[in-house]
Amino acid sequence: MKKQLAALALACALIPGAAMAAGKVPTSDKMMNDYNKYVVVYTSDEERIYADADTIERDPVSAGELPVIRATLYAEVYKHPLTWPDYGNYRMVDYILQYDTAVGADQLGQTIKYRILNKLEGAYTPDGKAAPLPGKFEDPADEAEDIYVALYRVSKTSY
């Protein structure tokens, strides 16, 4: 297990700036309407997390092992509290956080342990413009299992 955690940390360190290669940060409307490019991997009352389908990579593994999956994630963080004008004017998203993410899973007996490493790349307005990092934001680490399962389903093997 220590080898796998070390390999995951090394893989994250070696990932080139996917955000730079991907180009401009998408707007909230673009992510919502481009189903082929932006895949929803998690939703809650506070946020909706998309993966850029062009950046999803699954490491090859031996039979019986679970792969590390890497992707660029965008977390739309909703305003809190939401008001009627927020709904009525479709202004529910407060900001977008961009992450370079690696997520993995290890089977320990009958239990699978999920882990996620996120590198926050930046904060943006709903229309994709750079914004200062919000003072308080939550890293999606608590959603590692949900994000892993969703990314696993849409990822492709490279072998």
Side-chain angles (χ1 to χ4, degrees), residues 45-56:
D45 294 342
E46 293 132 11
E47 65 186 347
R48 185 174 201 177
I49 300 175
Y50 297 86
D52 180 334
D54 294 339
T55 66
I56 299 171

Side-chain angles (χ1 to χ4, degrees), residues 129-144:
K129 295 178 183 167
L133 287 175
K136 181 180 176 185
F137 63 89
E138 290 186 25
D139 195 27
D142 292 342
E143 297 87 23

Side-chain angles (χ1 to χ4, degrees), residues 66-146:
L66 296 167
V68 171
I69 305 169
R70 294 181 302 276
T72 299
L73 301 183
Y74 297 99
E76 283 185 329
V77 179
Y78 300 131
K79 293 179 180 178
H80 182 76
L82 284 167
T83 64
W84 181 88
D86 295 331
Y87 284 104
N89 295 316
Y90 294 98
R91 304 248 184 241
M92 297 164 46
V93 176
D94 198 13
Y95 51 90
I96 299 169
L97 298 175
Q98 178 184 2
Y99 295 94
D100 278 338
T101 298
V103 63
D106 288 313
Q107 182 144 359
L108 308 168
Q110 296 297 322
T111 304
I112 297 177
K113 180 176 175 156
Y114 300 89
R115 64 208 181 288
I116 191 167
L117 294 173
N118 294 301
K119 180 181 176 193
L120 181 63
E121 293 292 320
Y124 305 89
T125 62
D127 59 357
K129 295 178 183 167
L133 287 175
K136 181 180 176 185
F137 63 89
E138 290 186 25
D139 195 27
D142 292 342
E143 297 87 23
E145 180 177 356
D146 295 328

